Amino acid sequence: PPPPPLPPPLPNPLHVPVTSEVNVVRHSGYTPDMAAKLQLLERGQTYVEENLGKPGAMFWIELSYNEGELRVGLGKLAAAADVPHQLDDEGARWVSWFERKGKNHDWGNVVAFRPAMIYEGRRKVVQITEETLACFLSVVVETCAGCTAAEPKITKRCMEVLREHIKTRHPQLLAANNADNDDEDEEGSEGEGDVCDSYGCSDADGGPSGSESGSGANSSTDDSEDSNAEDGDSSSEDSS
């Protein structure tokens, strides 16, 4: 007679299930995108801890002023060759800053960034400042497929997670909750209507991919079309 079937494998004792795995919701309204956003939200603290030693890793960082609708900026860990001196404080990092390509008050759904440039004498250089780790938000930076590490483009899903994180944990970072809102251009919302939910400059584990251009497995033709359309808008804005 044939041998009896093998018993099912035991669960991995080292695996600690997260909320999104334990509380699996089985209903028609629960979509894979909702599950992906939940996992993205839960990975925030791990993302920060795992990438603090990686030059080029991107983070959301609290600002002391309103940048449109949020009091938050996007920065990356500066390379050792670009910093004025090494820091003695383990609770701080040198940050190389990005700025939004669009200057509307509303950030929109898909947000494109470029290096923030300042003048040192007559020379134009990327702005680099010392920032404390207490200002780093526990939110994964997820970028669109097809963007570059020099000019990252943030996915719609990442923006939704960032807004939710700020709303529930750091409401003081909403410009609407601050009395010193700066006057902003109200012409429209940057990237409004665009959809881009694939990994690009950051890999599936949330860390830098080491590649200049994104090539996420979740990329799609629609993402590329949205990316090209926004690049065209940004080019028009720059030329004006």
Side-chain angles (χ1 to χ4, degrees):
L6 295 175
L10 295 174
N12 183 356
L14 299 180
H15 174 68
V16 179
V18 295
T19 306
S20 56
E21 294 174 327
V22 175
N23 300 328
V24 178
V25 181
R26 303 292 186 182
H27 61 79
S28 59
Y30 191 74
T31 64
D33 183 61
M34 293 172 63
K37 279 188 276 189
L38 181 58
Q39 291 175 354
L40 201 66
L41 190 61
E42 291 174 335
R43 283 173 39 220
Q45 186 59 40
T46 301
Y47 171 84
V48 172
E49 293 171 354
E50 291 180 348
N51 287 284
L52 281 177
K54 299 179 181 178
M58 291 181 285
F59 299 93
W60 296 112
I61 302 172
E62 179 179 348
L63 300 176
S64 60
Y65 56 90
N66 295 334
E67 168 52 26
E69 65 175 290
L70 303 175
R71 188 169 282 203
V72 171
L74 179 67
K76 67 178 180 180
L77 297 186
D82 298 330
V83 302
H85 59 83
Q86 296 302 312
L87 296 176
D88 296 328
D89 184 4
E90 287 296 325
R93 295 290 188 276
W94 287 112
V95 173
S96 177
W97 288 99
F98 295 99
E99 65 179 8
R100 287 186 298 138
K101 289 185 176 181
K103 295 303 180 183
N104 302 322
H105 179 82
D106 184 359
W107 283 33
N109 294 328
V110 178
V111 189
F113 287 85
R114 62 190 169 201
M117 308 300 292
I118 59 173
Y119 279 98
E120 286 186 354
R122 296 184 178 181
R123 192 165 61 102
K124 206 171 184 181
V125 297
V126 178
Q127 183 179 12
I128 297 177
T129 62
E130 179 184 345
E131 302 296 330
T132 61
L133 298 184
C135 294
F136 285 48
L137 301 186
S138 300
V139 179
V140 176
V141 177
E142 184 184 65
T143 55
C144 297
C147 73
T148 65
E151 295 193 352
K153 188 174 294 184
I154 306 302
T155 66
K156 175 185 176 183
R157 179 169 59 204
C158 183
M159 286 305 305
E160 290 173 347
V161 170
L162 175 63
R163 288 186 175 104
E164 181 65 22
H165 179 85
I166 291 174
K167 181 180 178 181
T168 57
R169 301 189 184 184
H170 304 281
Q172 76 278 7
L173 301 183
L174 293 171
N177 293 338
N178 291 289
D180 59 341
N181 293 344
D182 298 326
D183 292 333
E184 298 285 346
D185 183 4
E186 297 289 347
E187 292 179 359
S189 298
E190 176 190 353
E192 185 174 356
D194 291 346
V195 175
C196 179
D197 278 332
S198 57
Y199 285 94
C201 306
S202 299
D203 63 19
D205 290 328
S209 64
S211 172
E212 272 297 305
S213 61
S215 57
N218 297 331
S219 61
S220 66
T221 304
D222 291 341
D223 292 339
S224 300
E225 290 175 353
D226 290 335
S227 175
N228 293 335
E230 184 173 339
D231 288 341
D233 294 340
S234 300
S235 300
S236 300
E237 180 183 326
D238 294 340
S239 62
S240 61

